[in-house]
Amino acid sequence: MFPASANIIIIGGGVLGASAAFQLAKDGHQDIVLLDRGPLASGTTPFAAGQTAYLSVSPDRLPLTTYCLDFLENFADRTGYPIHFNQHGSLRIALTEAYLPELEAHQVAADQLGHELKFLTPEEAKELVPTLDVPDAKGIIFIARDGYVEPKSIAIGYASAARDLGVTIQTHTKVSNIEVTEGKVKAVHTNRGKIQTNHIVVAAGAWTRQLTQRFGLDMQVVPVRHQAYVTAPLVDVVPRQPIVRLIEPQIYVRPEAGGLLVGGYGYRPVSFDMDEFPNRFEISALEPDLIYYSRLHDAATTYFPALRQATVVHERRGLPTITPDAKYLVSKVTEIKGLIIAAGCQVGGIQSSPAIGRMVADLISGQDYFGLLSAFAADRFESVYSDAQLRDQCETVYGNLYLQPH
């Protein structure tokens, strides 16, 4: 039976919305409904690389990133649902001396936490990743606790745990409007009926900006196309090899089903207005940018020569949401009481989902677990961007993600 009312409605059953549902239910909130326009985890979530990079060089963010790491390491204990966390570490590689200070800042962060971080020679790195060829790299660090997960399993795990705690999940339910009366949310209108509510969490991924524009808001977040590809099995790929992140060319490479998954930033950033797509559009139908793939592949073969002869067997692409300052958007909305936005994953929604879900719950529960909610508030932007300026700025942010200190 379709509900007529709920205390909390979450719009979006991807990894952020599902995490928020779980965290809210874990906090003891009741009468929660999670809505998704398609099946659960059917937006950008299943096309993610699922990689973690917890060792932030910003001291104030370390509690947030280490919370996410601990959550993923203990996902089954926290939710009751196991995931496969391939925790084989990561290599972060500076090809020029300009980025050595960033590697050294990671060393400081690791020392502060008492975690393992090693500087490696190019030869030592090649022992871990036989297909890697960076003989002239200026600096290479190995971060032992990084890894990657199957992204859809995370969202399904959150949703399953939320359901066990009493959350109602309604899929194939498209939100057409949010009813606001006297500055307060009143109801959500869907293709299946109207639901009265006290709180609405918009975690609608690529559709967040367009959905909130319908009731006069201008959220500073846009979807930008991100692409990766997977090769057929390669002889020298080691199943337990670490993720490789090359800073200057902004490329990441990790093992996938015996081959390599290759992705990168800055090869032709393009943002989108979701209202320009057909009404029934889904992320799985997103057209590829062949120029992007060509540039990415050409750059990657410089450091992974085996890719020159590799066969591409699968393409991945999605529309992660980007903000003008490369920070999450997790916030109440001062203009509308009861409305919360959870967006701006910065192409890191899987790894940041535990913390984003936690912060959404904090906004309703009246807490601030990390003490960072003000940094992610919707009203933090001093500049008012036109639509064209916002898209241009977010494309620039996306196109330089690896070049900014993490």
Side-chain angles (χ1 to χ4, degrees):
M1 180 180 295
F2 194 72
S5 65
N7 180 33
I8 302 169
I9 295 175
I10 300 167
I11 302 172
V15 71
L16 300 189
S19 174
F22 168 73
Q23 296 277 21
L24 282 161
K26 196 72 173 176
D27 272 8
H29 293 282
Q30 299 179 347
D31 199 13
I32 302 169
V33 174
L34 174 66
L35 306 177
D36 196 276
R37 57 184 281 142
L40 286 174
S42 59
T44 290
T45 293
F47 304 107
Q51 299 171 162
T52 67
Y54 80 96
L55 202 56
S56 175
V57 300
S58 302
D60 61 337
R61 285 176 57 85
L62 275 176
L64 184 153
T65 57
T66 54
Y67 172 87
C68 292
L69 173 67
D70 178 76
F71 196 106
L72 293 176
E73 287 178 332
N74 299 283
F75 195 88
D77 291 340
R78 288 176 176 265
T79 66
Y81 291 87
I83 59 169
H84 187 42
F85 188 10
N86 301 278
Q87 202 169 15
H88 309 317
S90 72
L91 300 179
R92 193 166 187 85
I93 301 174
L95 300 174
T96 63
E97 293 184 355
Y99 287 92
L100 283 177
E102 181 184 334
L103 301 188
E104 293 162 356
H106 279 89
Q107 177 74 76
V108 172
D111 291 345
Q112 178 182 336
L113 295 170
H115 291 185
E116 180 184 358
L117 182 149
K118 296 178 181 177
F119 274 83
L120 304 181
T121 66
E123 294 74 23
E124 290 171 328
K126 192 171 181 64
E127 289 180 8
L128 293 175
V129 185
T131 52
L132 175 66
D133 186 24
V134 286
D136 299 320
K138 301 303 181 183
I140 304 173
I141 56 174
F142 174 68
I143 304 172
R145 292 177 69 182
D146 277 344
Y148 58 93
V149 299
E150 197 290 306
K152 191 167 184 175
S153 69
I154 300 292
I156 297 301
Y158 286 133
S160 299
R163 179 200 57 206
D164 294 346
L165 293 169
V167 173
T168 299
I169 299 174
Q170 298 286 344
T171 56
H172 302 285
T173 304
K174 184 177 179 180
V175 173
S176 57
N177 199 13
I178 293 175
E179 184 178 330
V180 177
T181 303
E182 297 180 350
K184 186 181 186 305
V185 298
K186 294 293 290 185
V188 169
H189 294 256
T190 80
N191 61 317
R192 299 174 61 196
K194 173 180 172 180
I195 312 175
Q196 300 279 355
T197 190
N198 299 313
H199 303 278
I200 298 172
V201 178
V202 178
W207 285 270
T208 296
R209 178 169 167 78
Q210 275 62 42
L211 180 58
T212 56
Q213 281 178 333
R214 295 177 188 175
F215 42 93
L217 297 177
D218 188 18
M219 291 294 104
Q220 302 292 282
V221 60
V222 297
V224 178
R225 179 166 48 199
H226 182 64
Q227 298 189 155
Y229 66 86
V230 179
T231 74
L234 296 168
V235 173
D236 291 327
V237 172
V238 179
R240 295 181 60 84
Q241 72 186 40
I243 302 163
V244 175
R245 294 183 170 102
L246 293 145
I247 299 174
E248 290 90 340
Q250 301 194 91
I251 293 168
Y252 60 81
V253 178
R254 68 162 177 82
E256 175 71 13
L260 293 174
L261 183 153
V262 182
Y265 305 90
Y267 290 90
R268 203 161 78 137
V270 178
S271 62
F272 292 86
D273 179 342
M274 300 308 291
D275 285 337
E276 296 176 356
F277 287 105
N279 189 47
R280 294 182 178 273
F281 172 80
E282 296 296 341
I283 300 297
S284 58
L286 183 66
E287 291 290 327
D289 182 340
L290 298 180
I291 294 174
Y292 183 115
Y293 275 128
S294 177
R295 291 174 178 174
L296 171 63
H297 182 73
D298 289 347
T301 56
T302 302
Y303 312 103
F304 289 84
L307 290 172
R308 293 192 182 102
Q309 306 302 321
T311 300
V312 174
V313 296
H314 180 60
E315 295 177 352
R316 294 190 184 190
R317 50 189 168 268
L319 292 175
T321 49
I322 308 294
T323 60
D325 60 0
K327 294 181 180 179
Y328 308 134
L329 180 57
V330 186
S331 177
K332 292 182 177 180
V333 177
T334 54
E335 298 92 334
I336 301 176
K337 186 177 180 181
L339 182 66
I340 290 171
I341 309 296
C345 68
Q346 318 303 322
V347 204
I350 304 300
Q351 69 167 353
S352 59
S353 62
I356 291 178
R358 177 66 264 153
M359 288 187 287
V360 168
D362 284 354
L363 286 166
I364 293 179
S365 300
Q367 307 174 107
D368 190 354
Y369 185 89
F370 304 110
L372 290 172
L373 285 173
S374 62
F376 306 138
D379 61 3
R380 69 181 185 265
F381 301 103
E382 295 181 1
S383 299
V384 177
Y385 295 93
S386 68
D387 187 70
Q389 290 171 329
L390 177 64
R391 290 179 64 171
D392 181 68
Q393 175 61 18
C394 290
E395 288 171 2
T396 299
V397 167
Y398 167 84
N400 292 278
L401 275 178
Y402 264 24
L403 303 180
Q404 305 303 316
H406 284 72

